[in-house]
Amino acid sequence: MTTPPDTPLPPWQWPESRWRAAVGRARAGRSLHPAAWPDGARCAFAISFDADHDTIPLRDGDESPMRISQGHYGNRRGVPRIRALLQRHGVPATFFYPAVSALLYPEEVRGIVADGHEIGIHSWIHERNTHLDAETERDLTSRARDVLQDISRKLVVGIRTASWDFSLNTLSIIREMGLLYDSSLMADDDPYELVQDGGPTGIVELPPEWIRDDAVYFNFDRFSALRPYTPPRDVLDIFLAEFQGAHDEGGLFLLTLHPHISGHRSRIGVIAALLEAARQKGDVWFATHEQVAAWCMTHPQGDTP
């Protein structure tokens, strides 16, 4: 039985050229693990916060005041607690903002910049890039950067796609915009250069991972049959194990958190304990994503994994 010409081929019938093209579209290239971290540090510690706030329900066309209020918590309580904690420890962070979050809370963005933190792109309204055509994705990403730069009065050089949803067009758009780094792909623990269709791009990838994200442990959807919840102490154990591994290997520890999730009273202590443990090492470089990307691009070992 033959497949009709207008029916997509199942993957097991793809020619080799197609699956090779798929894996090569945004591939991990040379390692950018540096020969050394600044000031002789053993490892780098890059903490980031995706300030989604109200945009998750809005992205889905959901105007429920209840669900919007869960995001608003991130602005009212989560971010103030997080800012105070980072200030006490003298730790810089990167805050990735959907443009709509920044437009709703411009003074929050300016306050974060005044604290010495970095602002990065995180979509327009937390849209899923793989649901968009290239023109729409390009327009929304470009407009998001313009909004963030206008509000923060700072140059924006990095991006984390919403939900780490990386489309077939995303890397080309990042290159067109001249960004320094992306933090959406997961091919390594440590920084690497992105390769597109076999050629180096000059874009630094700072890889996240679901293991090092608070949402997978704490998120709760009352209308879903799956309602994950992990006690904060258990989440701390996981994060500490990931940090210790990065320290042992002299690599990068990159953590992704959300103010409306980790900003709660029972969870902010996870961040505090993690920062205290890292401080006690005495040889950890705390840096923004921009600082890590810039250092790795100019101080690579040059090894290819």
Side-chain angles (χ1 to χ4, degrees), residues 10-282:
W12 58 87
Q13 292 183 359
W14 286 358
E16 181 176 343
S17 59
R18 181 167 179 183
W19 51 256
R20 286 195 179 276
V23 300
R25 190 169 284 113
R27 193 73 164 165
R30 65 181 174 126
S31 172
L32 294 178
H33 187 297
W37 295 109
D39 300 321
R42 173 69 183 169
C43 75
F45 189 114
I47 189 169
S48 56
F49 298 89
D50 293 357
D52 300 333
H53 295 345
D54 311 45
T55 63
I56 302 298
L58 293 176
R59 180 269 316 278
D60 295 329
D62 182 351
E63 299 181 45
S64 161
M66 183 279 288
R67 283 182 286 282
I68 290 174
S69 73
Q70 289 179 293
H72 191 190
Y73 184 93
N75 160 258
R76 286 179 62 88
R77 303 298 286 172
V79 167
R81 285 192 181 117
I82 289 164
R83 287 178 61 187
L85 178 63
L86 294 173
Q87 188 170 32
R88 284 200 302 272
H89 286 271
V91 170
T94 298
F95 287 76
F96 291 98
Y97 272 85
V100 169
S101 288
L103 288 166
L104 284 168
Y105 309 111
E107 292 308 314
E108 175 185 294
V109 174
R110 295 187 188 108
I112 285 168
V113 170
D115 289 349
H117 305 304
E118 178 195 3
I119 302 296
I121 304 166
H122 195 51
S123 79
W124 179 261
I125 195 169
H126 216 277
E127 64 275 0
R128 298 179 176 93
N129 284 341
T130 53
H131 292 191
L132 307 175
D133 59 68
E135 182 179 353
T136 302
E137 182 183 353
R138 180 179 294 105
D139 176 63
L140 290 174
T141 307
S142 178
R143 286 167 53 200
R145 178 178 63 177
D146 291 346
V147 164
L148 295 179
Q149 291 186 157
D150 181 61
I151 292 174
S152 70
R153 302 183 180 92
K154 297 282 289 185
L155 182 67
V156 174
V157 301
I159 185 170
R160 171 174 292 153
T161 58
S163 302
W164 299 323
D165 196 27
F166 207 91
S167 81
L168 305 185
N169 306 299
T170 302
L171 182 51
S172 294
I173 293 168
I174 291 172
R175 297 183 73 179
E176 291 169 13
M177 293 176 64
L179 298 178
L180 170 65
Y181 74 86
D182 171 71
S183 185
S184 313
L185 304 178
M186 308 179 186
D188 205 322
D189 300 298
D190 296 315
Y192 57 88
E193 182 178 11
L194 284 170
V195 169
Q196 185 176 36
D197 301 326
T201 64
I203 304 295
V204 180
E205 181 61 40
L206 301 179
E209 226 299 323
W210 291 109
I211 301 169
R212 290 175 272 108
D213 184 296
D214 58 355
V216 298
Y217 305 111
F218 294 138
N219 242 355
F220 178 91
D221 184 351
R222 105 177 239 226
F223 296 109
S224 169
L226 181 64
R227 299 181 177 187
Y229 185 82
T230 309
R233 290 181 181 178
D234 292 346
V235 176
L236 175 59
D237 285 345
I238 295 168
F239 289 167
L240 284 172
E242 284 285 317
F243 166 68
Q244 186 61 53
H247 189 270
D248 290 345
E249 295 180 357
L252 169 67
F253 175 73
L254 186 151
L255 185 66
T256 303
L257 303 170
H258 301 77
H260 72 284
I261 295 176
S262 282
H264 285 273
R265 290 167 174 163
S266 62
R267 299 170 182 170
I268 194 74
V270 172
I271 310 173
L274 187 60
L275 294 178
E276 289 166 6
R279 278 286 183 213
Q280 288 174 5
K281 292 286 189 184

